[in-house]
Amino acid sequence: QLQATGGGLVQPGGSLRLSCVVSGFKLDSYAIGWFRQAPGKEREGVSCMNPNDGRPFYSDSVKGRFTISRDNAKNTMYLQMNSLKPEDTGVYSCAAVLNLWYTRCDYRAFEVKGQGTQVTVSS
């Protein structure tokens, strides 16, 4: 089970840190991902990383502003979001798939999917 928290209302240029606590399994061997869905738009893979790759995937729209990380000891994944823009608004959700070398960021490939948290960027 995955539970994302940390969303909220933030002004453009602000920052938020999303957390996703994992329960029921150990995160060590899982690739992780953050996805978002804005109203009227398809779900987008924001950032993904596997347990072994030192180069996470970032969508072009967030590259240089967002950072994905994981703390296996706490069984938790994070998404640090800086320099937020109104177009970052959406429901952000976390997901995991048992794959040590997964290198893509396709929501359909992720086995375990959590509830989302709303992020609204507005002045």
Side-chain angles (χ1 to χ4, degrees):
Q1 187 176 1
L2 308 177
Q3 181 61 56
T5 58
L9 173 64
V10 63
Q11 292 186 342
S15 298
L16 281 176
R17 188 195 195 201
L18 304 184
S19 300
C20 179
V21 178
V22 175
S23 61
F25 62 93
K26 292 295 292 181
L27 198 56
D28 308 54
S29 299
Y30 283 72
I32 60 174
W34 286 95
F35 303 86
R36 70 183 178 192
Q37 188 162 24
K41 295 186 177 181
E42 292 189 356
R43 183 177 282 108
E44 173 189 13
V46 174
S47 182
C48 296
M49 71 183 298
N50 64 45
N52 297 304
D53 191 354
R55 295 179 295 176
F57 167 90
Y58 293 100
S59 68
D60 288 342
S61 60
V62 307
K63 202 170 294 183
R65 300 186 296 121
F66 290 13
T67 303
I68 190 173
S69 62
R70 61 196 297 157
D71 186 335
N72 290 336
K74 294 183 178 180
N75 231 30
T76 302
M77 65 179 87
Y78 305 96
L79 184 68
Q80 178 66 44
M81 307 186 294
N82 298 329
S83 302
L84 283 161
K85 304 176 181 179
E87 50 263 44
D88 294 319
T89 294
V91 177
Y92 285 70
S93 58
C94 50
V97 58
L98 183 59
N99 190 323
L100 289 171
W101 296 101
Y102 184 74
T103 57
R104 303 179 68 181
C105 203
D106 186 339
Y107 187 72
R108 296 168 296 180
F110 283 73
E111 304 162 332
V112 189
K113 299 168 181 176
Q115 297 292 325
T117 183
Q118 176 70 44
V119 172
T120 302
V121 185
S122 174
S123 55

